[in-house]
């Protein structure tokens, strides 16, 4: 089987061999060593970055790191998965800046509320999510372009739901 956590949560058993996609324990152990080496290299690079430097946006840099596509994702009738992928990139940047767990927890709670609210609540809950993200851009200006695009995608999502293009339970 395969376990995944799109809400930012992982099962405690995710790091167990029995739940991996590897055929042998040796293959899994090698994969774990590679992951550890990769994580250590990333940590060293992050430590080398001067976090006190003034952020200057690169006009030629794309907003999103991952590939973006406008077509719906199969099985994602409500469009939440696409939004979750975008939010994951924002969270990744925040984590690289060692943002506290309370900020990430609040962000996760607001996105969860957005995903589970009724059509009538969608605008208000979506606005609260966007406002919270925007409040973080003062302290973390490197997320500004992503937050602006994410907020516009939330607005588009709300318009689609209200016009009946997406079916909400």
């Amino acid at each position: 089987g395969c376990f995944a956590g799109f809400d930012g949560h992982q099962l405690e058993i995710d790091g167990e061999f029995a739940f991996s996609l590897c055929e042998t324990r040796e293959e899994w152990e090698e994969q774990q060593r590679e992951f550890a080496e990769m994580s250590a290299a990333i940590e060293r690079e992050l430590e080398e970055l001067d976090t006190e430097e003034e952020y200057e946006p690169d006009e030629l840099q794309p907003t999103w790191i991952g590939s973006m596509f406008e077509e719906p994702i199969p099985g994602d009738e409500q469009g939440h998965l696409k939004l979750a992928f975008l939010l994951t990139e924002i969270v990744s940047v925040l984590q690289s800046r060692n943002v506290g767990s309370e900020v990430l927890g609040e962000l996760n709670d607001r996105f969860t509320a957005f995903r589970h609210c009724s059509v009538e609540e969608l605008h208000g809950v979506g606005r609260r999510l966007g406002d919270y993200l925007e409040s973080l851009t003062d302290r973390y200006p490197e997320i500004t372009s992503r937050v602006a695009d994410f907020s516009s995608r939330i607005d588009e999502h709300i318009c689609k739901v209200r016009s009946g293009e997406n079916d909400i339970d």
Side-chain angles (χ1 to χ4, degrees), residues 10-129:
Q10 290 183 317
L11 299 175
E12 289 184 25
I13 57 178
D14 281 350
E16 302 285 330
F17 166 69
F19 297 97
S20 75
L21 299 177
C22 299
E23 292 185 23
T24 66
R25 187 165 196 78
E26 291 77 24
E27 181 183 349
W28 177 79
E29 288 172 352
E30 177 62 27
Q31 186 181 57
Q32 295 303 305
R33 278 190 293 279
E34 289 174 6
F35 287 158
E37 290 171 10
M38 195 179 340
S39 292
I42 291 170
E43 287 299 320
R44 282 191 301 274
E45 287 178 22
L46 289 175
E47 287 174 9
E48 291 172 8
L49 291 175
D50 181 11
T51 58
E52 299 303 316
E53 254 182 48
E54 185 65 29
Y55 172 74
E56 293 183 32
D58 181 355
E59 298 295 325
L60 301 177
Q61 183 178 357
T63 300
W64 301 105
I65 296 168
S67 61
M68 284 303 305
F69 45 90
E70 298 305 318
E71 299 83 34
I73 297 174
D76 183 33
E77 290 81 22
Q78 297 176 344
H80 294 151
L81 189 55
K82 284 172 70 171
L83 291 172
F85 285 139
L86 299 176
L87 188 57
T88 299
E89 282 196 32
I90 294 170
V91 167
S92 177
V93 172
L94 292 172
Q95 286 176 323
S96 74
R97 295 292 304 271
N98 297 318
V99 171
S101 60
E102 67 283 348
V103 171
L104 299 179
E106 180 68 23
L107 191 52
N108 186 52
D109 291 345
R110 288 180 188 238
F111 186 64
T112 299
F114 177 76
R115 288 185 12 246
H116 295 291
C117 71
S118 67
V119 174
E120 294 78 27
E121 300 169 313
L122 197 57
H123 180 73
V125 174
R127 183 57 30 228
R128 285 190 290 280
L129 172 60

